[in-house]
Amino acid sequence: MNDVQFALLTLGFIVIIIMIIHNWAQLKKHQKKTQKLTTSSAPTLDDDNDPLFQSSEFKIKETISHPNSQPEPSGSERIIEANLPEDINRATEAVASIVTKTIQNGKANIFLEDLTNLSGVTVYVRKDNEIWSTGEALDDAIRFNQVLVVQPLTSRKGALSEESIALLNAYVTKINEAVEGNLFWIANSNIQEESNLLNEFREAVDKALILKVTPKSDSSFHAAALADFFNKPKIVNRKLIHELVDAENSNIIICQLLSLSGKPLQINQESYIQGIVFRMDIPNTPNITHSFNQMISLIKECTKKLNGVLVDAGSKKIDDDYISRVYVHLKKVEQKMLTKKIIPGSDIALKIFS
């Protein structure tokens, strides 16, 4: 072996040694990084450190006002909207308008007694540009030349039946003939088709969120700790049912707190409670995702003070990842409702989800 060959062999050996040392150093660095990530505690999901728990209001507003999905109403549409009662939603109700030829006196020609056979139907009347009257305001002293007959297209009973639609059409025709008026359907004249479509939407979003807290080790919660937990201003007892109310508005109900059997809880020093059910009526809860955060906050406080564990309806333990996925689902439900111009927890939502 000459000097050149020996030099090349030595150089190759040195390169191999350097590569081995470099790879070993990189491996040790990777192991330290992995160990650090493994031993560090997982962050708690909340409004501050999880991007999924940020306010959805801005995105929802963008969805509603997007020119491709929600075009600006025409001039005639704006006029119609401006002249309707505020609690009418043409996206979710069939609306018949009757304009009479002469001023009508009293309620005889609107046949209010027939409403007993028409589930959910509401009648409004007014004279010229006066305020619309309905309900108890429809008496023998009323004077009017405009009539609105309003029928919600769906409810938790399902889509409107052919019989219900036939009764509605007969009622509208009866009024129109009695007042010798001009009949025009302002919204959803094809009642059966629109009712079926809206009912499909209702079924897709009409869910109840049920979470449970059960004792971690004992057979029941300790009565003293239980009484202390329920002694909070945000937990109110209405008609024997405990409810979590919104932190800023006590008139907003976020969820009910029930026994495992779904019955009201009896909280006293002798209580034997084996679990607490937190039930949210999703479409009838205002500001769904914000309310969900308050519900989860109370549940975490419950698990801490009562030494409990959070489980789903099937008694499977729930972690923060599960909570995050539930939040994402609720955000989608909220956006679907707002896109339909149905505000969660509103009177219009209550008409559909009741």
Side-chain angles (χ1 to χ4, degrees):
M1 180 181 296
N2 56 37
D3 293 340
V4 175
Q5 290 176 325
F6 180 79
L8 291 173
L9 182 62
T10 303
L11 180 61
F13 181 77
I14 293 173
V15 170
I16 292 173
I17 294 297
I18 292 173
M19 290 179 63
I20 291 174
I21 294 173
H22 178 267
N23 290 338
W24 176 82
Q26 291 296 319
L27 180 62
K28 294 296 290 183
K29 183 178 180 180
H30 177 72
Q31 288 176 342
K32 288 182 179 180
K33 185 177 180 181
T34 302
Q35 184 178 7
K36 183 178 180 181
L37 290 173
T38 304
T39 56
S40 63
S41 58
T44 302
L45 298 178
D46 55 32
D47 286 352
D48 296 325
N49 65 4
D50 189 339
L52 294 176
F53 280 74
Q54 300 303 310
S55 173
S56 61
E57 292 181 3
F58 180 73
K59 291 184 178 180
I60 291 172
K61 288 179 181 178
E62 283 190 330
T63 302
I64 294 175
S65 60
H66 195 283
N68 293 330
S69 59
Q70 295 291 334
E72 285 293 322
S74 63
S76 59
E77 288 289 310
R78 287 196 295 268
I79 292 173
I80 291 174
E81 290 288 350
N83 282 278
L84 289 177
E86 292 183 356
D87 55 349
I88 288 181
N89 184 348
R90 292 193 296 151
T92 63
E93 296 172 311
V95 183
S97 171
I98 300 172
V99 179
T100 69
K101 294 180 179 179
T102 59
I103 300 295
Q104 302 292 307
N105 296 297
K107 61 182 181 179
N109 287 339
I110 53 177
F111 309 104
L112 296 179
E113 63 276 7
D114 290 1
L115 293 180
T116 56
N117 298 320
L118 297 166
S119 178
V121 172
T122 305
V123 177
Y124 300 82
V125 302
R126 75 172 180 178
K127 177 178 174 291
D128 299 328
N129 292 322
E130 295 177 356
I131 297 174
W132 290 99
S133 298
T134 189
E136 295 181 356
L138 301 178
D139 54 27
D140 290 328
I142 199 76
R143 301 179 75 245
F144 63 92
N145 58 1
Q146 299 169 55
V147 182
L148 294 177
V149 180
V150 182
Q151 168 73 70
L153 292 172
T154 188
S155 69
R156 282 178 171 164
K157 295 179 181 178
L160 295 174
S161 65
E162 293 183 2
E163 181 183 0
S164 297
I165 296 172
L167 288 172
L168 174 65
N169 284 324
Y171 176 65
V172 171
T173 301
K174 184 177 180 179
I175 294 177
N176 190 50
E177 291 176 350
V179 300
E180 297 182 349
N182 294 315
L183 171 62
F184 175 72
W185 285 90
I186 295 177
N188 301 307
S189 58
N190 191 346
I191 301 175
Q192 188 69 76
E193 180 180 348
E194 297 298 335
S195 177
N196 290 336
L197 289 173
L198 186 62
N199 191 59
E200 290 178 5
F201 163 80
R202 181 197 61 79
E203 290 178 339
V205 301
D206 191 12
K207 308 294 181 183
L209 174 62
I210 297 176
L211 300 175
K212 299 189 296 185
V213 174
T214 57
K216 186 177 294 184
S217 55
D218 299 327
S219 60
S220 66
F221 295 121
H222 293 285
L226 197 65
D228 181 63
F229 171 73
F230 275 85
N231 186 25
K232 291 179 175 59
K234 59 186 176 182
I235 299 179
V236 299
N237 191 336
R238 295 171 178 166
K239 298 180 180 179
L240 302 179
I241 296 179
H242 291 86
E243 297 170 333
L244 169 64
V245 297
D246 184 78
E248 298 178 357
N249 186 348
S250 60
N251 292 321
I252 295 177
I253 299 172
I254 293 176
C255 68
Q256 294 180 333
L257 283 68
L258 307 167
S259 68
L260 293 180
S261 62
K263 297 180 180 179
L265 290 165
Q266 301 293 329
I267 306 299
N268 52 55
Q269 294 300 323
E270 298 180 356
S271 296
Y272 184 78
I273 307 296
Q274 295 179 297
I276 301 173
V277 171
F278 295 78
R279 184 184 187 279
M280 175 189 285
D281 186 353
I282 296 173
N284 285 320
T285 302
N287 203 347
I288 297 172
T289 48
H290 175 69
S291 295
F292 175 71
N293 285 343
Q294 294 189 63
M295 176 180 172
I296 290 298
S297 177
L298 181 68
I299 287 175
K300 290 185 175 181
E301 184 180 350
C302 178
T303 58
K304 183 178 180 180
K305 288 193 173 184
L306 301 183
N307 191 30
V309 59
L310 175 61
V311 297
D312 61 16
S315 297
K316 183 179 179 181
K317 187 176 180 180
I318 291 175
D319 57 15
D320 285 338
D321 180 63
Y322 182 99
I323 293 173
S324 182
R325 294 199 305 272
V326 171
Y327 184 95
V328 173
H329 173 74
L330 293 178
K331 180 184 285 188
K332 291 178 180 178
V333 170
E334 195 169 38
Q335 289 177 330
K336 285 180 180 179
M337 292 184 66
L338 292 174
T339 301
K340 278 280 189 180
K341 298 182 180 180
I342 304 171
I343 299 175
S346 65
D347 291 339
I348 292 173
L350 188 59
K351 289 180 182 179
I352 300 173
F353 303 101
S354 63

